[in-house]
Amino acid sequence: MTATASTVSPPGFAAGIWPCTTRLDPGGGISVGGWSLGELARRHGTPLYILDEADVRYRCRAYRDAMPGAEIAYAGKAFLCRAVADWIGEEGLSLDTCSAGELAVAQAVGFPAGRVLLHGNAKTPDDLRAATGYGVGRVVLDSAGEIARLAAITPDKQRVMLRVAPGVDAGTHASVAAGGEDQKFGFALSSGAAADAVTRVLRQPELELTGLHCHLGSQITQLPAYELAARRLIALTAAVHAEHGLALPELNLGGGHAVPCTDGDPEFDLQGFADRIRRVIRDECASFRLPVPRLIVEPGRAIISRAMVTLYRVVGIKQTPGGRTFVAVDGGMSDNPRPVLYGSGYEAFLPRATNAARPFLATVVGKHCESGDVIVRDVPLADPVSGDLLVTPATGAYGHSMANNYNGVPRPPVIFCRDGHARVVVRRESFEDLTARDAP
Amino acid sequence: MTATASTVSPPGFAAGIWPCTTRLDPGGGISVGGWSLGELARRHGTPLYILDEADVRYRCRAYRDAMPGAEIAYAGKAFLCRAVADWIGEEGLSLDTCSAGELAVAQAVGFPAGRVLLHGNAKTPDDLRAATGYGVGRVVLDSAGEIARLAAITPDKQRVMLRVAPGVDAGTHASVAAGGEDQKFGFALSSGAAADAVTRVLRQPELELTGLHCHLGSQITQLPAYELAARRLIALTAAVHAEHGLALPELNLGGGHAVPCTDGDPEFDLQGFADRIRRVIRDECASFRLPVPRLIVEPGRAIISRAMVTLYRVVGIKQTPGGRTFVAVDGGMSDNPRPVLYGSGYEAFLPRATNAARPFLATVVGKHCESGDVIVRDVPLADPVSGDLLVTPATGAYGHSMANNYNGVPRPPVIFCRDGHARVVVRRESFEDLTARDAP
């Protein structure tokens, strides 16, 4: 299997942001998983999420190849449905969940409980009961109250990790920066809260502490941030060893590995990360005379983002007096809220012959009643007209998972393509669905 | 009926941001519509949206009283379900919709078609067909392509308005500023696009132009912005009269009327707005020797925002080394995305005796896997503990309507309270609902 998309690279068609089976036809059309996007749009309507199964499996294997021996846990928050949970299980990955709802999806497909982790800064009693009822492999404890609450409801023995706020700034958007200490997640390292939490856990005979966890944020490219976090967690692991005589067998560095969404975005150096982290762990453990713990990483976006493209239909074109061209499509912030939430950038592409006209810079907007409902800013498009299909790549993460029904817009279906086979894995929401919870 | 909440005003309990039937019990509890919030939380669980029916009806009547003769159209995008559509109809208001999905809700309760308006910058062919099939009173045209498309599918005759971008800055958040010309909505006035669109519409015998529309944005307090927009639209109305001999019978100034969400937020001067706009229209029309058109306004948030409160349960408290206190609750950005989208401010209140401790400033955060998942920043709370009920008022607009299932979190139910009667109007989403669209 190849990870490159095509040798042809018109604007917006940088190989690194498309699913690995993407092919650019001579006529300008695009196929994914052996299916023409135009044909899929005709059959299923728009907007439409297309997921390339081969790409998901390719990313899973790339992680396993780069980090043999490590536990790779897919962060389901990026996109989770029954079929994806199935594949993740088949590829030998673990699953990172953060609510009873995500646990229910995993349990519905019989995902092996031992390979499930439950996260969350505010796990409710229902979340904790769902986890112990399922028998999840590890609950990642996030606050002092949670330690006692989990111990109280654990029937037999529950393996746990502790989320540590390591005080590492990984240079990400403020809404997703989670490595510092002045945020809601975890036990702060510098104040001694993390060390204190270890002691509290060890006092609970129902809980078995397997290691420390941290998560630095999202779209991180800086490998030194991970190295620094690893050093700090190993220092605490060593202190636990010295004080309690316990060698924690696991070390979880979370996820946040950057994924390019636009042409020119930096790529995460997965092999470099794997090599450098392995070396740091080995050297630090040697200096503390600690056994080397098993590394856990939790990629979500890095597994699923590039596997998906979103298809829209152009509804209208508008020039403003200020010289801006708006290309309005039949979806928007309800199926991809990341641009309005974080100012995230995407590419857009018209899957047809582009020779007819010179591209000009357009702003692709959605159909929602907000001027902030922008999908892509300043993207080169060649003479778009109403009815054109428009594709945005790299929308697999935090698109469908954050989708809503704003303005009464039903959520699009998810179609999986593989080797010329296409199937509806999540059906389109209907108007009836919109009022299904309403009293008559 | 009174619009004041209570004479007692502890921190966070400013009367203007609570439903009009709110009562503060001597013990510190709160009731809405004759129901104790604590009792509702015990019966229905948390998180929970509580809607005060009396408040919604009070706001509807306040608009009708302030603007006799005007058409008041409730903007369903703020919050729409079957029951609300019913009340709006009963109170004699019209309904502003912007998609086939919202039209389906209106049609499901038999909302009078003649009082329905369809908006949208990118109405799809399905949206337009739904509108003509329903027989809506007015379609508000937004682009040149739409004029021809609507004419082509109109079976008999369709009344339409034209959305004009009047070039008025009303001083709102960039994501919702819609009065300027460099945004996706409407026909620009200064470039002649609006006048040109009038001519195009008048050439279509299937379309009957009833007037011009504009919408300046959200949370607007500046009345001069509305006056300026009214003057500009009347000038174009006069130009249409001069050129085509047609006196447009309607003038639609949209919505965006500010609603206080925190203690100290400015209140929209509804009566001042009504008086000043009536005067501007009368004077401008007199100067152009135009008949006075019927005014249409489209409040959404102003009708529904204060009618609703959200109840959460506190899950945990955390102090950071930086001195910040995080109070984590069992909901978050999935049920109220406005703080993370726009930095919107809310109040939070613990409905119990507050005498025991001096309030300190806390940050109320949700349970989602994002550090940006903040509900209220720097709000005074008196000694919150796990298990406490926490109430945020003024969450009726753009909370449930923008709610999603991020992190596998089901959407909360909506309970309506009135005169001691409570009923589930939108039931809680279940875990089964989360995968109901998944293929088996």
Side-chain angles (χ1 to χ4, degrees):
Chain A
M1 187 181 301
T2 168
T4 59
S6 167
T7 51
V8 190
S9 282
F13 205 76
I17 60 174
W18 290 82
C20 67
T21 69
T22 305
R23 291 290 172 271
L24 191 62
D25 308 331
I30 292 174
S31 70
V32 169
W35 269 86
S36 147
L37 297 187
E39 182 59 27
L40 289 169
R42 274 186 292 277
R43 292 193 181 201
H44 301 285
T46 52
L48 193 60
Y49 299 113
I50 307 293
L51 195 98
D52 180 6
E53 179 175 343
D55 193 90
V56 176
R57 294 185 185 270
Y58 166 76
R59 304 290 169 194
C60 292
R61 288 169 198 172
Y63 266 90
R64 299 198 61 190
D65 291 348
M67 310 177 77
E71 180 174 0
I72 316 294
Y74 171 65
K77 63 180 77 68
F79 172 60
L80 192 64
C81 66
R82 297 163 60 124
V84 164
D86 264 335
W87 301 346
I88 293 300
E90 287 169 15
E91 294 296 334
L93 270 60
S94 295
L95 184 64
D96 149 8
T97 68
C98 52
S99 70
E102 288 185 356
L103 288 174
V105 177
Q107 208 158 6
V109 299
F111 198 97
R115 276 156 52 197
V116 174
L117 295 94
L118 177 70
H119 287 276
N121 70 301
K123 302 178 196 78
T124 63
D126 285 348
D127 292 330
L128 292 174
R129 272 191 296 269
T132 57
Y134 190 177
V136 303
R138 274 133 304 168
V139 173
V140 183
L141 294 164
D142 205 285
S143 69
E146 205 173 85
I147 297 172
R149 275 201 296 277
L150 179 64
I153 66 157
T154 292
D156 184 18
K157 191 91 179 176
Q158 177 63 55
R159 296 205 300 158
V160 300
M161 306 191 81
L162 277 182
R163 176 157 183 169
V164 174
V168 174
D169 175 5
T172 65
H173 188 286
S175 279
V176 291
E181 293 195 322
D182 199 28
Q183 41 81 29
K184 68 178 186 171
F185 295 104
F187 299 94
L189 200 58
S190 68
S191 67
D196 180 57
V198 169
T199 306
R200 281 166 187 256
V201 170
L202 296 180
R203 280 196 202 122
Q204 302 283 358
E206 299 84 1
L207 305 182
E208 178 189 342
L209 184 65
T210 70
L212 307 174
H213 167 273
C214 71
H215 179 75
L216 304 183
S218 297
Q219 292 290 57
I220 301 169
T221 53
Q222 304 173 12
L223 300 186
Y226 287 104
E227 291 178 303
L228 178 57
R231 276 193 201 96
R232 291 188 174 172
L233 261 56
I234 291 169
L236 178 56
T237 301
V240 170
H241 189 234
E243 189 177 342
H244 303 283
L246 173 68
L248 298 172
E250 296 181 330
L251 178 73
N252 189 334
L253 293 181
H257 307 166
V259 176
C261 290
T262 67
D263 195 356
D265 277 354
E267 177 90 48
F268 185 74
D269 176 7
L270 177 56
Q271 195 59 57
F273 168 82
D275 294 343
R276 289 170 71 163
I277 292 299
R278 187 165 44 226
R279 200 174 311 131
V280 163
I281 294 175
R282 187 195 60 204
D283 293 353
E284 293 292 304
C285 287
S287 78
F288 286 115
R289 297 171 180 271
L290 268 180
V292 171
R294 186 183 191 202
L295 177 62
I296 305 174
V297 293
E298 301 176 322
R301 190 194 314 265
I303 299 287
I304 206 76
S305 176
R306 283 159 294 197
M308 195 181 274
V309 304
T310 306
L311 304 192
Y312 302 100
R313 192 70 73 178
V314 173
V315 178
I317 319 287
K318 197 178 283 181
Q319 312 272 351
T320 69
R324 193 185 292 270
T325 301
F326 287 105
V327 176
V329 298
D330 56 359
M333 62 188 283
S334 62
D335 60 73
N336 187 1
R338 294 192 65 253
V340 65
L341 275 171
Y342 314 118
S344 308
Y346 287 91
E347 297 287 350
F349 191 79
L350 302 170
R352 57 160 168 77
T354 53
N355 321 355
R358 210 164 46 171
F360 56 87
L361 288 186
T363 299
V364 179
V365 294
K367 64 173 287 176
H368 294 280
C369 291
E370 304 229 355
S371 41
D373 174 30
V374 170
I375 301 173
V376 192
R377 283 179 205 281
D378 297 333
V379 62
L381 291 177
D383 198 19
V385 295
S386 289
D388 266 344
L389 207 58
L390 185 144
V391 193
T392 57
T395 56
Y398 308 103
H400 185 271
S401 82
M402 285 185 157
N404 68 15
N405 296 127
Y406 183 45
N407 292 136
V409 174
R411 286 172 287 189
V414 183
I415 312 290
F416 285 6
C417 295
R418 177 188 182 178
D419 298 337
H421 298 282
R423 64 187 175 112
V424 179
V425 160
V426 182
R427 71 164 170 79
R428 186 180 297 281
E429 205 161 30
S430 67
F431 293 146
E432 292 70 34
D433 289 332
L434 296 181
T435 52
R437 299 191 294 124
D438 281 28
Chain B
M1 188 180 303
T2 169
T4 60
S6 169
T7 51
V8 190
S9 282
F13 205 75
I17 60 174
W18 290 82
C20 67
T21 69
T22 305
R23 291 290 171 271
L24 190 61
D25 308 332
I30 292 175
S31 69
V32 169
W35 269 86
S36 146
L37 297 187
E39 183 58 27
L40 289 170
R42 274 186 292 278
R43 292 194 181 202
H44 301 283
T46 51
L48 193 60
Y49 299 113
I50 307 293
L51 195 98
D52 180 6
E53 180 175 342
D55 193 88
V56 177
R57 294 185 185 271
Y58 166 76
R59 304 289 170 196
C60 292
R61 289 167 198 174
Y63 266 91
R64 298 198 62 190
D65 290 348
M67 311 177 76
E71 180 175 1
I72 316 294
Y74 171 65
K77 63 179 78 68
F79 172 59
L80 192 64
C81 66
R82 296 161 61 123
V84 165
D86 264 336
W87 300 346
I88 294 300
E90 287 169 15
E91 294 296 333
L93 270 60
S94 296
L95 184 64
D96 148 8
T97 67
C98 52
S99 70
E102 287 185 357
L103 288 174
V105 177
Q107 208 159 6
V109 299
F111 198 97
R115 276 156 54 196
V116 174
L117 295 94
L118 177 69
H119 286 276
N121 70 301
K123 302 178 195 77
T124 63
D126 285 348
D127 292 330
L128 293 174
R129 270 191 297 270
T132 57
Y134 191 177
V136 303
R138 274 133 304 168
V139 173
V140 183
L141 294 165
D142 204 286
S143 70
E146 207 174 85
I147 297 172
R149 276 200 295 277
L150 180 63
I153 66 158
T154 292
D156 183 18
K157 191 91 179 176
Q158 177 63 53
R159 296 205 301 159
V160 300
M161 306 192 81
L162 277 182
R163 176 157 183 169
V164 174
V168 174
D169 176 6
T172 64
H173 188 287
S175 280
V176 291
E181 294 195 323
D182 200 28
Q183 41 82 28
K184 68 178 186 172
F185 295 104
F187 299 93
L189 200 57
S190 68
S191 67
D196 181 56
V198 169
T199 306
R200 282 167 186 256
V201 170
L202 297 180
R203 281 197 201 121
Q204 303 283 358
E206 299 84 1
L207 305 183
E208 177 188 343
L209 184 65
T210 69
L212 307 175
H213 167 273
C214 71
H215 178 74
L216 304 183
S218 297
Q219 293 290 57
I220 301 170
T221 52
Q222 303 173 12
L223 300 186
Y226 287 104
E227 292 178 302
L228 178 58
R231 276 194 201 96
R232 291 188 174 172
L233 262 55
I234 291 169
L236 179 56
T237 301
V240 171
H241 189 233
E243 188 178 342
H244 302 283
L246 173 68
L248 297 172
E250 296 181 331
L251 179 73
N252 188 333
L253 293 180
H257 307 167
V259 176
C261 290
T262 68
D263 196 355
D265 277 354
E267 178 91 47
F268 185 73
D269 177 6
L270 177 57
Q271 194 60 57
F273 169 81
D275 294 342
R276 289 169 70 162
I277 292 300
R278 186 166 44 227
R279 199 174 314 131
V280 163
I281 295 176
R282 187 195 59 204
D283 294 352
E284 294 292 305
C285 287
S287 78
F288 286 115
R289 298 171 180 270
L290 267 181
V292 171
R294 186 182 191 202
L295 177 63
I296 306 174
V297 293
E298 301 176 323
R301 190 194 314 264
I303 299 288
I304 206 77
S305 177
R306 282 160 293 198
M308 194 181 273
V309 304
T310 306
L311 305 192
Y312 302 100
R313 193 69 74 178
V314 173
V315 178
I317 319 286
K318 197 178 283 181
Q319 312 271 350
T320 70
R324 193 185 293 269
T325 301
F326 287 104
V327 175
V329 298
D330 56 359
M333 63 188 282
S334 62
D335 60 73
N336 187 0
R338 295 192 64 253
V340 65
L341 274 171
Y342 315 118
S344 309
Y346 288 90
E347 296 288 349
F349 191 80
L350 301 170
R352 58 160 167 78
T354 53
N355 322 355
R358 210 166 46 174
F360 57 85
L361 289 186
T363 299
V364 179
V365 294
K367 64 172 288 179
H368 293 279
C369 290
E370 304 229 356
S371 41
D373 174 30
V374 170
I375 300 172
V376 192
R377 283 180 204 281
D378 297 334
V379 63
L381 291 176
D383 199 19
V385 296
S386 289
D388 266 344
L389 207 57
L390 185 144
V391 193
T392 56
T395 57
Y398 307 103
H400 185 272
S401 82
M402 286 186 157
N404 67 15
N405 296 127
Y406 183 45
N407 292 138
V409 174
R411 286 173 285 188
V414 183
I415 312 289
F416 286 6
C417 295
R418 178 186 182 179
D419 298 336
H421 298 282
R423 63 186 176 112
V424 179
V425 160
V426 181
R427 69 164 171 79
R428 187 180 295 282
E429 205 161 33
S430 68
F431 293 146
E432 291 70 33
D433 289 331
L434 295 182
T435 53
R437 298 190 295 124
D438 281 28

